[in-house]
Amino acid sequence: MAATGRPLPSPPTGAVTRFAPSPTGLLHLGHAHSALFGHALARRAGGRFLLRIEDIDASRCRPEHAAAIEEDLAWLGLAWELPVRRQSGHMGEYRAALDRLAARGLLYPCFCTRAEIAREVAAAGHAPHGPEGPPYPGTCRRLSPAGRETRLGRGDPHALRLDMAAALAEAPPAGGFSFEELGRGRLPADPAPFGDVVLARKDVPASYHLCVCHDDAAQGVTVVTRGEDLKPATALHRLLQTLLGWPEPLYAHHPLLADAAGRRLAKRDGAPSIRSLRERGHGPAAVRAMAGFPDRG
Ligand code: GLU
C-alpha cells in the first residue's frame, strides 16, 4: 500500500519498470515515491528495475545532480541494473528515429520564436488548449518549399515539428488510440489535441516525448511507471510508438504524493529534498515511510 492509500496494481510476472528522473536538482520526496513505486512493482513481479537519467537538456541538467540522485536512491535502499542509461550519450539514436519520420514527410522545420507563436495564437482568438498549451498554429507547415530551403540554407535556427494531421493519417488504429493502464484496463487516448508537437528543439536536437518512447523500447521496459501528471502525454507516446514500430508497454501512473493537507509534493511547491531530510537526521526507513513505502515494496 502506498501513501496515496491505493493498493499497488498487480504487474505481470517479470515486469521491467524504470525510474527516469531529469537531473535538474536534488531528489525530493515526490521523486522518491515514484522510484519506490517502480521498484516495488518490479519486486512484486519478480522482474527488473532500471534507472535512466534523462539529461538531454544540457542547460538545465548537471552531472552532479545525477550523481546526487543515484546516491540518494542507494541510501534509500534501492538497487537497479547497471549500466545506468544516460540520454545525453545517445543523441545519435534519437537523430536516427527523427530521420525515419522525416523520410516519410512527417516532420517539418519550424523557425518561429516563442514570441511569434504567442502573437499568432492571440491573433487567432480563442484557440483550443491542448495538453501542453495552445497547439502550434502551423505557420511553418505552410512555408513554401523554396522559402523553407532558403531559411535552412542560411542556417536559421529551427525546431522539428511532427505534422500531426499527416501522422494521424499514416497510423490510424481501428477504434482510435488507447493504452492499457495496469489494473484499470484500456483507456482511450487521443493525440490530436497536441497538434504539431516539437520532436527536436532548437537548442536540444531531441525532445522528452521522442527520447522517453525511444528508450522505453530500447531498454525493454514493459511497465512504464511514472506520476499521473504525465498521463496526458501517453496519448502522444502511443502515436510515436505506432509510427516508429516500437512495442506498446503497459502503463502504471501513480497518484502524486500529497502532504497532510492534501497538497501535491513537488519541488516547485517546496517538497523537502532527500538530502535535507538526511541532514536533519532521518534514516532511510523513516524517509521511505514519508515517501509512502515503509517496507521498501
Ligand atoms: N524525465 C521525466 C521527469 O523527470 C519523467 C519521464 C517519464 O517517467 O516518462 O519528469
Side-chain angles (χ1 to χ4, degrees), residues 18 20-22 54 208 212 226 230:
R18 67 359 176 237
S22 304
E54 301 211 327
Y208 157 65
V212 80
R226 61 185 177 196
L230 288 169

XYZ file of all heavy atoms in Angstrom, residues 18 20-22 54 208 212 226 230, ligand 1:
86
model
N 10.895 1.254 -14.626
C 12.031 2.203 -14.585
C 11.637 3.459 -13.833
O 10.466 3.801 -13.679
C 12.542 2.511 -15.981
C 11.754 3.264 -17.035
C 10.420 3.733 -16.802
N 9.866 4.503 -17.899
C 9.403 5.758 -17.792
N 9.387 6.374 -16.635
N 8.913 6.380 -18.838
N 12.884 7.468 -14.216
C 13.589 8.224 -15.259
C 13.669 9.703 -14.913
O 13.040 10.545 -15.549
C 12.866 8.018 -16.599
N 14.449 10.058 -13.884
C 14.496 11.463 -13.474
C 15.323 12.342 -14.419
O 16.229 11.862 -15.097
C 15.183 11.394 -12.106
C 16.072 10.195 -12.197
C 15.327 9.207 -13.064
N 14.972 13.623 -14.455
C 15.797 14.621 -15.139
C 16.650 15.276 -14.058
O 16.100 15.816 -13.092
C 14.905 15.671 -15.807
O 14.007 15.031 -16.684
N 17.533 11.283 -17.591
C 17.011 12.000 -18.767
C 17.640 13.394 -18.805
O 17.082 14.376 -18.314
C 15.471 12.034 -18.702
C 14.912 10.611 -18.676
C 13.558 10.441 -19.312
O 12.724 11.366 -19.255
O 13.311 9.351 -19.885
N 11.760 15.429 -24.991
C 11.328 14.452 -23.974
C 10.480 13.352 -24.598
O 10.721 12.162 -24.386
C 10.558 15.169 -22.845
C 9.641 14.238 -22.089
C 10.168 13.189 -21.327
C 8.256 14.366 -22.171
C 9.325 12.302 -20.654
C 7.412 13.484 -21.504
C 7.958 12.446 -20.747
O 7.128 11.561 -20.100
N 11.810 9.519 -24.493
C 11.221 8.611 -23.499
C 10.655 7.385 -24.214
O 10.814 6.245 -23.744
C 10.177 9.362 -22.637
C 8.844 9.502 -23.328
C 9.988 8.706 -21.292
N 5.260 5.927 -13.652
C 5.524 7.366 -13.501
C 4.297 8.034 -12.886
O 3.232 7.417 -12.775
C 5.868 7.995 -14.852
C 4.775 7.879 -15.882
C 5.251 8.418 -17.237
N 4.237 8.245 -18.268
C 4.493 8.337 -19.563
N 5.718 8.580 -19.994
N 3.533 8.175 -20.449
N 1.978 12.873 -15.800
C 2.449 12.579 -17.160
C 1.456 11.730 -17.958
O 1.706 11.408 -19.120
C 3.818 11.892 -17.109
C 4.960 12.838 -16.715
C 6.238 12.064 -16.421
C 5.210 13.872 -17.807
N 12.152 12.650 -17.006
C 10.772 12.888 -16.720
C 10.658 13.771 -15.490
O 11.603 13.842 -14.716
C 9.975 11.624 -16.456
C 9.830 10.779 -17.652
C 8.851 9.619 -17.531
O 8.787 8.994 -16.462
O 8.183 9.332 -18.516
O 9.627 14.367 -15.301
